[in-house]
């Protein structure tokens, strides 16, 4: 975050020590980079989409592999493979979004000083990115079952 001040002559100048350009940070700080909700949602969705595509692909190509998640298995048996996996994608993404955005509620409900000022942003970034990376890892793992 840049601090711009006006000296007596009315000329604005940068007085910050930040090495991060302001165009890359939102409210500055460790978790400021990439903290806009759209980018975080894309990270989550791409990871879960990779997991979903790999699940359908592997289950279609191999007979000796089964879906280990009870909910996904149940949804696939009730609605078909592709539709069941798509419902799982929606449920997983909505669940992560609700969890990630709950940082705002925690910050509002706790007394002052219990949650740092940047807690909601940091919690949002860590939750979206962790879930996106985890789902991406599962997708890669699923594809490795083909080899």
């Amino acid at each position: 975050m840049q601090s711009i001040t006006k000296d007596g002559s009315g000329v604005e100048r940068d007085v910050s020590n930040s090495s991060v350009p302001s165009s890359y940070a939102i409210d500055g700080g460790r978790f400021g980079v990439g903290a806009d909700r759209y980018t975080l949602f894309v990270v989550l969705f791409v990871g879960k989409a990779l997991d979903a595509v790999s699940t359908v692909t592997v289950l279609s190509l191999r007979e000796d592999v089964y879906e280990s998640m009870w909910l996904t298995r149940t949804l696939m048996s009730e609605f078909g493979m592709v539709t069941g996996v798509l419902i799982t994608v929606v449920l997983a993404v909505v669940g992560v979004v609700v969890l990630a955005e709950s940082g705002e509620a925690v910050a509002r409900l706790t007394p002052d000083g219990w949650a740092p000022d940047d807690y909601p942003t940091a919690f949002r970034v860590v939750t979206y990115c962790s879930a996106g990376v985890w789902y991406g890892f599962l997708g890669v793992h699923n594809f490795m079952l083909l080899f």
Side-chain angles (χ1 to χ4, degrees), residues 102-121:
S102 70
E104 292 284 343
V106 169
R108 289 183 185 159
L109 295 174
T110 57
D112 290 342
W114 280 23
D117 293 337
D118 291 332
Y119 174 77
T121 303

Side-chain angles (χ1 to χ4, degrees), residues 37-135:
R37 285 178 173 93
Y38 178 74
T39 303
L40 294 171
F41 180 80
V42 168
V43 167
L44 171 63
F45 185 77
V46 166
K48 187 58 183 167
L50 178 63
D51 178 36
V53 168
S54 69
T55 298
V56 170
T57 303
V58 170
L59 291 176
S60 296
L61 297 176
R62 297 227 5 218
E63 296 291 325
D64 61 332
V65 176
Y66 72 98
E67 173 58 45
S68 62
M69 294 299 299
W70 172 84
L71 179 62
T72 305
R73 225 178 22 247
T74 303
L75 290 172
M76 287 189 320
S77 68
E78 291 291 323
F79 298 104
M81 185 182 303
V82 174
T83 306
V85 169
L86 289 176
I87 293 170
T88 305
V89 169
V90 171
L91 291 174
V93 168
V94 168
V96 171
V97 168
V98 168
L99 176 64
E101 297 302 328
S102 70
E104 292 284 343
V106 169
R108 289 183 185 159
L109 295 174
T110 57
D112 290 342
W114 280 23
D117 293 337
D118 291 332
Y119 174 77
T121 303
F123 187 74
R124 181 181 309 119
V125 170
V126 169
T127 304
Y128 274 107
C129 291
S130 298
V133 168
W134 174 249
Y135 289 133

